[in-house]
Amino acid sequence: MEYLLVLFHVALIWMLAVATPGANVLLTINAALNYERRVAVFSAFGVSCATLLWAFFGGSGLVLLLSHFPSLFGLMKLVGGSYLLYLGIRQIYLTRKIKRIGEDTENIQSISLSKQKVFSSAFITSILNPKTGFFVVSLFSISIPENMNSMLLLAIMLTMSLITLSWHLFLVFAFSHQSAKNVYARVSGQINYITGGLFTLFGIKVMNS
């Protein structure tokens, strides 16, 4: 019964954490708008797999250990922030290139990105996102009993991963709907500039946090 209460507490907190707007959510929405649904779902899988790994880090104590070494955590923030900066600058560059040559965004990006690349981009963005690490540290320090065993850790990992997958699949199906794509097609240039700018701001914020 105690373990069920722990899982309920974990699920409640993690649902709030996952729904908080950030780089992971932005990446999934961007994938849903730009690619076919069957490709965009791999963004959800990538974030979910990264969450599974983060949960393992939290349960095994690696995240807490990392927090005791500011230089390592600082390196992680530098690498994660730099990757978000790369995503932002790349988005702005592609948008300018598409506008210059007058081609359709969807046609270019659906050719240039495969399912594997969408998955790896989402996974890397999530695993290098220190914000996810902060959430995991808070979650495990508040909700997890000291006598946690391997079965409870596995249940927590699966709970966090499934919640993440469910939310990001919802985002994929909502924003890959044809009505959303029709709106996006009319203002794709502006949205892509905004998306690139947000990724850039997220990257700067991560490195300066």
Side-chain angles (χ1 to χ4, degrees):
M1 187 65 181
E2 179 188 357
Y3 286 172
L4 290 177
L5 289 175
V6 170
L7 289 177
F8 176 77
H9 199 188
V10 167
L12 186 61
I13 294 175
W14 197 247
M15 281 190 288
L16 296 175
V18 167
T20 303
N24 298 340
V25 169
L26 183 62
L27 191 71
T28 298
I29 292 175
N30 189 57
L33 289 171
N34 281 287
Y35 317 129
E36 295 180 11
R37 182 176 290 173
R38 60 186 178 85
V39 174
V41 294
F42 282 84
S43 180
F45 293 140
V47 177
S48 177
C49 288
T51 299
L52 193 67
L53 194 55
W54 268 116
F56 173 75
F57 291 159
S60 62
L62 291 176
V63 172
L64 289 174
L65 182 64
L66 184 64
S67 66
H68 289 301
F69 293 91
S71 58
L72 289 176
F73 209 71
L75 178 62
M76 179 182 172
K77 290 194 292 184
L78 178 63
V79 173
S82 298
Y83 186 71
L84 290 175
L85 274 175
Y86 159 75
L87 290 178
I89 294 171
R90 179 179 179 275
Q91 181 85 342
I92 293 171
Y93 168 76
L94 284 176
T95 304
R96 289 177 62 87
K97 180 180 179 181
I98 291 164
K99 184 178 180 180
R100 186 168 60 247
I101 63 180
E103 292 186 29
D104 181 72
T105 304
E106 184 178 351
N107 290 338
I108 291 179
Q109 293 192 343
S110 62
I111 292 172
S112 63
L113 282 184
S114 64
K115 295 175 181 178
Q116 292 82 2
K117 288 183 178 180
V118 170
F119 175 89
S120 61
S121 179
F123 180 84
I124 293 170
T125 299
S126 186
I127 206 66
L128 292 179
N129 189 353
K131 177 185 171 184
T132 308
F134 293 142
F135 275 130
V136 170
V137 169
S138 301
L139 176 65
F140 276 82
S141 62
I142 293 172
S143 305
I144 310 305
E146 294 182 2
N147 61 339
M148 180 177 65
N149 56 36
S150 57
M151 290 301 296
L152 179 59
L153 174 58
L154 180 61
I156 290 170
M157 290 169 59
L158 291 175
T159 297
M160 293 171 63
S161 182
L162 287 174
I163 288 172
T164 303
L165 179 62
S166 299
W167 173 245
H168 283 265
L169 283 176
F170 166 77
L171 293 175
V172 168
F173 279 85
F175 285 91
S176 64
H177 195 274
Q178 193 57 48
S179 59
K181 285 183 176 290
N182 290 340
V183 173
Y184 173 71
R186 294 195 293 269
V187 291
S188 59
Q190 296 90 322
I191 291 178
N192 286 337
Y193 277 126
I194 292 171
T195 302
L198 287 174
F199 274 125
T200 303
L201 288 176
F202 283 145
I204 294 172
K205 184 178 179 181
V206 164
M207 288 190 287
N208 292 329
S209 61

